[in-house]
Structure formats: structure tokens, C-alpha cells
Amino acid sequence: MKLVTFDDGAGPRVGVLAADGAVVDVSGAAGETMLDVVEAGEAGLDSIRAALGSSPVLPERSLRLLAPIMPRNNVMAVGRNYHDHAKEFSASGFDASEKKMIPDHPIIFTKAVSSIVGPGDAIDTSMDPTGTSDYEGELGVVIGTGGHRIAATGAMAHVFGYTVVNDVTARTLQAQHVQFFIGKSAATFCPMGPCIVTADEIGDIGAARLRTTVNGESRQDAPISDLIFDIPTLIEAISAAVRLQPGDVIATGTPSGVGIGFDPPVYLRPGDTVEVSIDGIGTLTNPVV
Ligand code: MG
């Protein structure tokens, strides 16, 4: 199922996205918010499936999709997690202090919940005082059952589903402050959506491709299987210390083709449109202002 959070003027609710863009309003079947649905687990999904046939269908034009989930915790994100992007980043001279192109352990940082926006919402580059806003198309993993010290071998059982994240970054702030938090957390710098695809529906996520375009021009195109640290490894590494909670989102890193990889760098400008697509999930489109 493709689950969405939508607003038709009567407040945010949970729905199921149909192929034609219509949304079946299943609010209440498994709670009021996506967090409720995630916490309800398999039983919640069964309730939604059972409600599908008798729930109102709302046409696409009558509603607005919001970010599918607002996690309790910051969005957890992974730096330099595609082989090609690690090379590109190293070649850009961005971080001259880094001795190793491929890190020994996943680089984990977080993005503030207040940076999350939905599909169609504007990325506001005026929030970045340095004028170096860049896109990073990424696969987002939504945690279902939480846990502490989750072993990689059983980690996929903790995945509720998948979404698309644009890890928008103020490059100069990212470089200036050592820790990435400020450069990654400006308001509107975490577009997410358009939906969460439940894990059962997607099958082998490694087989999916991620593509990013800016104004229709191809910038990123890579298979998810190019990840340096795969999803089970990331869940094991993070949960070694952090107790993951239902609804937590892990942005798994970006492939090559980001703006800072160009010479000279090509940053986002007002008037641009960024689209990030992942097979089986959908396209996250955001204008830039
Ligand atoms: Mg990133």
C-alpha cells in the first residue's frame, strides 16, 4: 500500500494513494496520524485494508499531500553512503581533513523535524544565508517496530516502509560547523514524500533506482544497491546506542550528481524545480524559492 498524509481543508488525515492520484480516506481505521498507523503495525495495516472498500475516495484535485510522517525524533541521515558520491565528494575538496574516501563506519547526523515539508512545498533558499543550497535525493527508511541493539540479520523486520527524502543542504554551513546539523536543518530543507510504501509491497528495495532532476535535467541516477552501508547495517549501527522508535526515518545517503560535485558547483536557485524519484515509491517534486 502507498500511505499518505493529506489535507482537504478539514485537517491532516491518513489515506491510501490510488494509481490515478486519488486518495482513499482511511482516517480512523488505524488511528488519526501516520505515527498511529505505524505503531499499530500489521494489525493496523489489516484494518486499513479492510476499510478500503467502504471508505470515501477523494479526487487528487480536492486535496494536498503533506509529508507522509512527522517522526518524534530528528530525521537520521547518512553521509557519503554511495561509492560514486564518496569519490565525487572527495574530488570536490569539500572536506580536506578526511583521510579516507570510504568511511570505516557509517557517518550519521540528524536533520531537525522542523525542516520537514511535503511534496509540492517550496524549498526556501533564503533560509541559507550562504547561498550554497544543494539537493541530495535519498531513500528514506521508515522504522516500524522500534528497538535497541537490533542485529543486522533481523533488521529488515523493523522496516515499516520507504519514502523519498531530499536532504537539502547549505554546503557552506555544513563545512563551517564540522557537525552537519545546522547546514542540514533549515526550515523547508527536508522535503519528504509523496507517500510511504509499505515494505511488503516493495520487495527488494536494492533493485530500485533513484533519479534526481533539476528543471528536468538529469543530475542523479543510481541503483539503491550501490549503497556502501546497506539498510540492515545502518539499522544495526544506529540502534547499537540509539533506541529507535516507531516512525523514525533514516535517510540513507545520496548518490553522485549533487551540485557541489560540479566545477564550479551548481547550487539551487529560486525558480528551480527539483524532482527525486525512486522506483516503486514515486516522485517528490519541490519548487525552489
Ligand atoms: Mg544526505
Side-chain angles (χ1 to χ4, degrees), residues 78 109 136 138 167 184:
V78 188
F109 57 92
E136 294 189 354
E138 307 200 5
D167 174 19
K184 298 281 191 175

Side-chain angles (χ1 to χ4, degrees), residues 77-80 85 109 111 136-138 167-169 171 184 251-254:
V78 188
R80 270 192 291 149
H85 175 64
F109 57 92
K111 294 172 78 73
E136 294 189 354
E138 307 200 5
D167 174 19
V168 182
T169 304
R171 292 292 179 207
K184 298 281 191 175
T252 52
T254 203

Side-chain angles (χ1 to χ4, degrees), residues 109-126:
F109 57 92
T110 70
K111 294 172 78 73
V113 171
S114 57
S115 67
I116 296 173
V117 290
D121 288 340
I123 297 164
D124 183 357
T125 57
S126 76

